[in-house]
Amino acid sequence: MKQLLQEIRHNPLLWLLVFVPAVLVGEKVRPEAHTLLFVLAVLAIVPLAALLSHATESVAARTGDAVGGLLNATLGNLTELVIALTALRAGEYMLVKASIAGAIVTNTLFMLGVSFLLGGLKYHVQEYNRVSARVQAGLLFLATVALLVPSVTPQSDVLAGAAFTRKLSVGLAVLLIVAYGLGMLFSLKTHRELFQSAEHGEESETPWPIGLAVATLAGVTVLVALVSEVFVESVQKAAESFGMTPAFVGFIVVALVGAAAEMASAFSGARKNRLDLSVGIALGSASQIALFVAPVLVLASYCIGPTPMDLQFWPGAVAMMMIATLTAALVTNSGRSAWFIGVLVLMVYLVFALSLYLLPPRTH
Amino acid sequence: MKQLLQEIRHNPLLWLLVFVPAVLVGEKVRPEAHTLLFVLAVLAIVPLAALLSHATESVAARTGDAVGGLLNATLGNLTELVIALTALRAGEYMLVKASIAGAIVTNTLFMLGVSFLLGGLKYHVQEYNRVSARVQAGLLFLATVALLVPSVTPQSDVLAGAAFTRKLSVGLAVLLIVAYGLGMLFSLKTHRELFQSAEHGEESETPWPIGLAVATLAGVTVLVALVSEVFVESVQKAAESFGMTPAFVGFIVVALVGAAAEMASAFSGARKNRLDLSVGIALGSASQIALFVAPVLVLASYCIGPTPMDLQFWPGAVAMMMIATLTAALVTNSGRSAWFIGVLVLMVYLVFALSLYLLPPRTH
Amino acid sequence: MKQLLQEIRHNPLLWLLVFVPAVLVGEKVRPEAHTLLFVLAVLAIVPLAALLSHATESVAARTGDAVGGLLNATLGNLTELVIALTALRAGEYMLVKASIAGAIVTNTLFMLGVSFLLGGLKYHVQEYNRVSARVQAGLLFLATVALLVPSVTPQSDVLAGAAFTRKLSVGLAVLLIVAYGLGMLFSLKTHRELFQSAEHGEESETPWPIGLAVATLAGVTVLVALVSEVFVESVQKAAESFGMTPAFVGFIVVALVGAAAEMASAFSGARKNRLDLSVGIALGSASQIALFVAPVLVLASYCIGPTPMDLQFWPGAVAMMMIATLTAALVTNSGRSAWFIGVLVLMVYLVFALSLYLLPPRTH
């Protein structure tokens, strides 16, 4: 406990934890103040995500390489998963799908772009292990393609019933989870040396004792779930009052909030000339959304959602995901980076954000 | 003849030849047993394709490098061509187009994916000549793009008449065949060293004497044509009774049956750590479908089909072909492979197969 | 002035300058002879573009590296810009957009393809600096993607008003120009060594004295503007009488005419085994259209056009631009070229040209 408090004292990001009680109290006292609750919820989720990430790494560090890696990989996007599950239970499928698509686009374009830019401002040209970057970009491309097939196929058959899309989505979810399991076997067991430099990154931080880590993991997950509920309830109304479309909120705001902790690691890696780490976090995180978070949400929708959710995205989201993964594949292909590469990757992200921001809301 | 019988005795795949008379007799005796005839025809085509492939190589080996290479390249997809010509004469244009698209997708995703998986289960990391793989992936990409232009262009102009598509398809067929001829000049004459390691693959098998080879080539082609007729007649009805959509049959079943012989070579190459060979067969075969088989079918439709056939594919098939060739280009770019790359490439194929299997049939 | 005349005497391309007075006189004497005026205008623009290009380089050579590079990069596509501005003032938005899309496709496919082909006919395999080619292909890909977002996004929302597209186009134009400025900082200042071999190319020609160069620059720009006016007025009618669609004229004819001067440099570079130069000109010129010419035209449409112009392209043009930039990225990835690569790149271009030529005109 003392260690936890000490950690909080040293890390200014964690001072935002004060917004956790604020949002929970606020929800009781003024449930109709949607905009305020939304802002408080965003401010509360960021430090919780950081704690969750640190706790996961600490548990991973204490349980040995194989189990630890497994935990780290599976819980790495826990924040996104909890937010999406909350939205799923509320039947906000548009928000769930936008947050899946947004997480993939934000991780590949924003996280990668800012990493290249920050690194490039400090170092003239940065070189990184292009073999592992290529493997990871390849995995990401294939994972995204598999995720997108239901959206591409039925476009040709507008009459095809929702039954087709739903059956396809379940079959696909099972295939994706099998691929995820095999991918874990690949990256943690049979070919772990390909991913090593990315894995090494975290070792500078001292891990917490196992008891504290597990307790934090459990406690913080509950807190994230509670705050997510406020977030999901308030987001629609708040978005309206900010003049933001639901697509923009799901795609950009939720994705940036959910990935705040990983971004902090990726950016600090880039500043330390360890772009392997940044590229690994960005592409690995995006692959995980496609191969693990998305199918879990589809299968979970049969248990906790009002109706089953399919994996059909709107064409604009499909185009953005395809462009984002292709960009990542082309950009990481050379194993070299400079600041302007970061600017251009970021520009594609800004253009996406701008068009989602301006999109007339009633067309959804 | 003794040599042919000896070959048959040693190669269990050729024992399936017993199904050739079975299907031809069956067609006379019970023409209405569509499902049975379909299964028999599939079982009969596989060994015929293998014989055809061996006979082609033997003729090629005896006629010297240039002519031999030419023959090998042109007759390499003879099985697919004969099946498609039979379907063309029967006016089954949907089946013809699905089998063109399916052959490209199956060769690039299934053949490549299984090769990577089988090779990767035996060897930790496999390296192959990435220069030649890149050249071949580049050719495949450009060949597929050229094939797809008529499907992409008029999408913007739904009102554009069929006359436009038909004129464009003929012009395109001529361009593709010219490109194919130049490609042969390139790979067999001016730059043959780039393709050499793939060519070398076959030399371990002893070639047949030229007389036997030519006789086998002629005789087996006639048999394939006869069996194809039964196959094309029975496939629609059989598909219905198996609950398969016509798209699935053309895309997956016909493509797998037609490419059975090449697959045997590609997979055995992968197991012998000669991925150059596997990649060469898979990508070369797919390029040949796009640059040679497809335009020949368009031009042939003016002579033997009930009406001219165009090259307009439905949007789902276009998306699948583009994704397949992009995947091949990205995956072979590094010149390295491991088992999980194979899993992911295969997964994309499975997702395609699943969605075609589930597609409601009446929407076509 | 003597130097200018001497230059004209030695360069047969500049003998076409005789068509400049011809077209201007022709316009006064026979304003209804659209086909004749169109042909004269095309013949007049080619030498003017060559003079403009030489004058720009001479000014650049005299003003020192940084300012010179800036001038060279900004005025490199001056011909295209002046033609497009003239079309913009006449309200021919279809022609403006077709010429933007066509310039990107023509520079990446035609200029690159012919360079590879011409170079490959003389040298067996040509190697070039793949690091700089990759950087440039990456920039081109990202620039094109950014340009295409408004065309991709609203496809999903047919009801979204034109107001959305217009606001997005302006926002995008600002972003693109900022990116262009940063790109200049990158290629001329912070990372100029990456682009060096391409820059060096021109130094064999003796630059003109600064006075002559500036005077030529000013005078020729005025002439291009005058001839462009005739060109834009006559192009529609002439196209009809040649049986060409407006899409074909904008995409192919205007793009080839506008880029004639750069093509001469790129092709001569390829024949001298300096493919770095050719690739640099082709990809750099295409990037510049996307990052500078297109946004300037959007912003200019608010001042000089009858109504504001947006950046929404028809789906066929989007597909062609995406395929062209992807092709450029894949083809330049290896840093090696042979004649057949050129054939295939050119074939994609021919297929595009063929389909635009056959496209029924009234569907636009």
Side-chain angles (χ1 to χ4, degrees):
Chain A
M1 203 59 195
K2 216 185 79 193
Q3 208 165 353
L4 180 58
L5 287 174
Q6 196 181 337
E7 171 91 21
I8 292 174
R9 206 167 328 120
H10 280 71
N11 187 344
L13 188 68
L14 296 182
W15 299 353
L16 293 173
L17 283 172
V18 72
F19 289 107
V20 178
V23 68
L24 297 177
V25 169
E27 217 265 323
K28 294 284 169 264
V29 180
R30 296 191 50 197
E32 77 296 341
H34 298 295
T35 312
L36 178 70
L37 287 174
F38 170 76
V39 173
L40 290 175
V42 167
L43 290 173
I45 288 175
V46 171
L48 289 175
L51 271 186
L52 216 49
S53 159
H54 197 156
T56 306
E57 279 155 26
S58 299
V59 175
R62 299 279 160 182
T63 50
D65 264 12
V67 181
L70 200 79
L71 265 173
N72 216 339
T74 307
L75 301 183
N77 283 302
L78 194 55
T79 316
E80 282 94 336
L81 187 60
V82 172
I83 298 178
L85 282 171
T86 312
L88 193 70
R89 221 176 43 193
E92 298 275 10
Y93 292 168
M94 162 76 199
L95 188 64
V96 176
K97 287 185 189 177
S99 75
I100 293 173
I104 292 176
V105 170
T106 300
N107 285 342
T108 46
L109 295 181
F110 184 79
M111 211 189 282
L112 210 59
V114 173
S115 296
F116 285 166
L117 180 56
L118 287 179
L121 290 178
K122 201 158 166 191
Y123 303 93
H124 187 67
V125 169
Q126 290 184 292
E127 309 242 344
Y128 51 95
N129 182 349
R130 74 177 177 189
V131 172
S132 84
R134 270 182 193 170
V135 171
Q136 290 183 310
L139 301 196
L140 172 63
F141 177 77
L142 295 175
T144 312
V145 160
L147 184 67
L148 292 181
V149 170
S151 310
V152 175
T153 316
Q155 270 184 301
S156 58
D157 311 88
V158 248
L159 302 172
F164 160 67
T165 311
R166 219 174 293 152
K167 265 193 284 179
L168 181 56
S169 299
V170 172
L172 189 69
V174 173
L175 275 177
L176 287 171
I177 287 180
V178 169
Y180 183 68
L182 291 171
M184 217 108 82
L185 190 66
F186 180 70
S187 63
L188 299 177
K189 192 109 196 160
T190 71
H191 288 67
R192 74 162 87 169
E193 80 285 358
L194 286 181
F195 298 84
Q196 216 149 32
S197 69
E199 237 53 76
H200 261 258
E202 313 299 319
E203 69 188 349
S204 50
E205 298 178 31
T206 32
W208 293 340
I210 182 80
L212 174 64
V214 170
T216 307
L217 202 56
V220 170
T221 303
V222 172
L223 286 178
V224 170
L226 289 174
V227 175
S228 294
E229 209 141 322
V230 182
F231 178 77
V232 168
E233 268 167 34
S234 62
V235 72
Q236 300 281 33
K237 295 268 170 66
E240 276 173 37
S241 70
F242 279 121
M244 291 191 276
T245 61
F248 181 81
V249 170
F251 224 86
I252 306 292
V253 178
V254 175
L256 286 176
V257 168
E262 287 110 315
M263 281 182 197
S265 307
F267 299 161
S268 107
R271 298 293 293 174
K272 291 176 195 149
N273 206 11
R274 297 172 69 188
L275 267 187
D276 280 319
L277 182 62
S278 314
V279 171
I281 293 174
L283 302 188
S285 194
S287 302
Q288 205 188 15
I289 299 283
L291 287 173
F292 181 67
V293 174
V296 162
L297 288 171
V298 169
L299 298 181
S301 77
Y302 282 83
C303 310
I304 65 168
T307 57
M309 188 182 81
D310 60 41
L311 275 175
Q312 188 150 25
F313 293 93
W314 49 284
V318 172
M320 288 183 188
M321 283 189 269
M322 284 299 289
I323 288 173
T325 51
L326 260 184
T327 302
L330 286 173
V331 152
T332 57
N333 188 31
S334 65
R336 294 159 59 98
S337 161
W339 66 267
F340 189 57
I341 307 286
V343 167
L344 277 172
V345 173
L346 261 181
M347 195 182 60
V348 175
Y349 185 73
L350 284 180
V351 170
F352 285 176
L354 181 68
S355 59
L356 288 168
Y357 185 76
L358 292 175
L359 210 63
R362 82 218 86 96
T363 60
H364 286 278
Chain B
M1 203 60 194
K2 217 186 80 195
Q3 207 165 353
L4 180 58
L5 287 174
Q6 197 181 334
E7 171 92 20
I8 292 173
R9 205 169 326 122
H10 280 71
N11 187 343
L13 188 67
L14 296 182
W15 300 353
L16 292 174
L17 282 173
V18 73
F19 289 108
V20 178
V23 68
L24 296 178
V25 170
E27 217 266 322
K28 292 282 170 264
V29 181
R30 297 191 50 197
E32 77 297 341
H34 297 295
T35 312
L36 178 70
L37 287 174
F38 169 76
V39 173
L40 289 175
V42 167
L43 291 172
I45 288 174
V46 171
L48 289 174
L51 272 185
L52 216 49
S53 160
H54 196 156
T56 307
E57 279 156 24
S58 299
V59 175
R62 299 279 160 179
T63 51
D65 265 13
V67 181
L70 200 77
L71 265 173
N72 217 338
T74 308
L75 301 182
N77 284 301
L78 194 55
T79 317
E80 280 94 336
L81 187 59
V82 172
I83 298 178
L85 281 172
T86 312
L88 192 69
R89 222 176 44 192
E92 299 273 11
Y93 292 168
M94 163 74 200
L95 188 64
V96 176
K97 287 184 190 177
S99 75
I100 294 172
I104 292 175
V105 170
T106 299
N107 286 341
T108 45
L109 295 181
F110 184 80
M111 210 188 282
L112 211 57
V114 174
S115 297
F116 285 166
L117 180 56
L118 287 179
L121 291 178
K122 202 160 166 189
Y123 302 93
H124 187 69
V125 169
Q126 291 184 293
E127 308 242 346
Y128 51 96
N129 181 347
R130 75 178 176 189
V131 172
S132 84
R134 269 182 195 171
V135 171
Q136 290 184 309
L139 301 196
L140 172 62
F141 178 77
L142 295 176
T144 313
V145 160
L147 184 67
L148 292 182
V149 169
S151 310
V152 175
T153 314
Q155 269 184 302
S156 56
D157 310 271
V158 249
L159 302 171
F164 159 66
T165 311
R166 219 175 293 152
K167 265 192 286 180
L168 180 57
S169 299
V170 173
L172 188 70
V174 173
L175 276 178
L176 288 171
I177 288 180
V178 169
Y180 182 69
L182 291 172
M184 217 109 81
L185 190 67
F186 181 69
S187 61
L188 299 176
K189 191 108 195 164
T190 70
H191 288 68
R192 72 163 87 170
E193 79 286 356
L194 285 181
F195 298 84
Q196 216 150 30
S197 68
E199 237 51 80
H200 261 257
E202 314 297 319
E203 71 188 349
S204 49
E205 298 178 30
T206 32
W208 294 339
I210 181 81
L212 173 65
V214 169
T216 306
L217 201 56
V220 170
T221 302
V222 172
L223 287 177
V224 170
L226 290 174
V227 175
S228 295
E229 209 142 323
V230 183
F231 178 78
V232 168
E233 269 167 35
S234 61
V235 71
Q236 298 280 30
K237 295 269 170 64
E240 276 173 37
S241 70
F242 279 120
M244 292 190 276
T245 60
F248 181 81
V249 171
F251 224 87
I252 307 292
V253 178
V254 176
L256 287 176
V257 168
E262 287 110 315
M263 281 184 198
S265 307
F267 299 162
S268 106
R271 296 294 291 173
K272 292 176 195 147
N273 206 11
R274 297 173 67 190
L275 267 188
D276 279 319
L277 182 62
S278 314
V279 171
I281 294 174
L283 302 189
S285 195
S287 301
Q288 206 189 14
I289 300 282
L291 286 174
F292 181 69
V293 174
V296 162
L297 289 170
V298 169
L299 298 180
S301 76
Y302 282 83
C303 311
I304 66 169
T307 57
M309 188 181 82
D310 60 40
L311 275 175
Q312 186 149 26
F313 294 92
W314 47 286
V318 172
M320 288 183 188
M321 283 189 269
M322 284 299 291
I323 288 173
T325 51
L326 259 185
T327 302
L330 286 174
V331 152
T332 58
N333 188 30
S334 65
R336 295 159 59 101
S337 161
W339 67 267
F340 189 59
I341 307 286
V343 167
L344 276 172
V345 173
L346 262 180
M347 195 182 61
V348 175
Y349 185 73
L350 285 179
V351 170
F352 285 175
L354 182 68
S355 58
L356 288 169
Y357 185 77
L358 292 175
L359 210 63
R362 83 220 85 98
T363 58
H364 287 281
Chain C
M1 202 60 194
K2 219 185 78 193
Q3 208 166 352
L4 180 57
L5 288 172
Q6 195 182 335
E7 172 92 21
I8 292 173
R9 205 168 327 121
H10 280 71
N11 188 343
L13 188 69
L14 296 182
W15 299 353
L16 294 172
L17 282 173
V18 72
F19 289 107
V20 177
V23 68
L24 296 177
V25 169
E27 218 265 323
K28 293 283 168 265
V29 181
R30 296 191 51 197
E32 75 296 343
H34 297 294
T35 312
L36 179 70
L37 287 175
F38 170 75
V39 173
L40 289 175
V42 167
L43 291 172
I45 288 174
V46 171
L48 289 175
L51 272 185
L52 216 49
S53 159
H54 196 154
T56 306
E57 279 155 25
S58 300
V59 175
R62 300 278 159 180
T63 50
D65 265 13
V67 181
L70 200 79
L71 266 172
N72 216 339
T74 308
L75 302 182
N77 283 302
L78 193 55
T79 317
E80 282 93 335
L81 188 60
V82 172
I83 298 177
L85 281 172
T86 312
L88 192 71
R89 220 176 43 192
E92 299 273 10
Y93 291 168
M94 163 74 201
L95 189 64
V96 176
K97 287 184 189 177
S99 75
I100 293 173
I104 291 176
V105 170
T106 300
N107 285 341
T108 45
L109 295 181
F110 185 80
M111 210 188 281
L112 210 59
V114 173
S115 296
F116 285 166
L117 180 56
L118 287 178
L121 290 177
K122 204 161 165 188
Y123 302 93
H124 187 68
V125 169
Q126 290 183 292
E127 309 242 347
Y128 51 96
N129 181 349
R130 74 178 177 188
V131 172
S132 85
R134 269 182 194 169
V135 171
Q136 289 183 310
L139 301 196
L140 172 62
F141 178 76
L142 294 177
T144 313
V145 160
L147 185 66
L148 292 181
V149 169
S151 311
V152 175
T153 316
Q155 270 183 302
S156 58
D157 310 271
V158 249
L159 302 173
F164 160 66
T165 312
R166 219 174 292 152
K167 264 191 287 179
L168 181 57
S169 299
V170 173
L172 188 70
V174 173
L175 275 177
L176 288 170
I177 287 181
V178 170
Y180 182 69
L182 291 171
M184 217 108 81
L185 190 66
F186 180 69
S187 62
L188 300 176
K189 192 105 195 165
T190 69
H191 287 69
R192 73 163 88 172
E193 79 284 358
L194 286 181
F195 298 85
Q196 215 149 32
S197 68
E199 237 52 79
H200 261 258
E202 314 299 319
E203 70 188 349
S204 50
E205 298 177 30
T206 32
W208 293 339
I210 182 78
L212 173 64
V214 169
T216 308
L217 202 57
V220 171
T221 303
V222 172
L223 287 177
V224 171
L226 290 174
V227 176
S228 295
E229 209 141 323
V230 183
F231 178 78
V232 169
E233 268 168 33
S234 62
V235 71
Q236 299 281 29
K237 295 268 171 66
E240 276 173 37
S241 70
F242 280 120
M244 292 190 278
T245 60
F248 181 81
V249 170
F251 225 87
I252 307 292
V253 178
V254 175
L256 286 176
V257 167
E262 287 110 315
M263 282 183 197
S265 307
F267 300 161
S268 105
R271 299 292 294 174
K272 291 175 194 148
N273 206 11
R274 297 173 67 191
L275 269 187
D276 279 319
L277 182 62
S278 313
V279 172
I281 293 174
L283 302 188
S285 194
S287 303
Q288 205 187 16
I289 300 283
L291 286 174
F292 181 68
V293 175
V296 162
L297 290 170
V298 169
L299 297 181
S301 77
Y302 283 83
C303 311
I304 65 168
T307 57
M309 189 181 81
D310 60 41
L311 276 175
Q312 187 150 26
F313 294 92
W314 47 286
V318 172
M320 289 183 187
M321 282 190 270
M322 284 299 291
I323 289 173
T325 50
L326 259 185
T327 302
L330 285 173
V331 152
T332 57
N333 189 31
S334 65
R336 294 159 60 99
S337 161
W339 67 268
F340 189 58
I341 306 286
V343 167
L344 276 172
V345 173
L346 262 181
M347 196 183 61
V348 175
Y349 185 72
L350 285 179
V351 170
F352 285 176
L354 182 69
S355 58
L356 288 169
Y357 185 76
L358 293 175
L359 209 63
R362 83 218 85 96
T363 59
H364 286 281

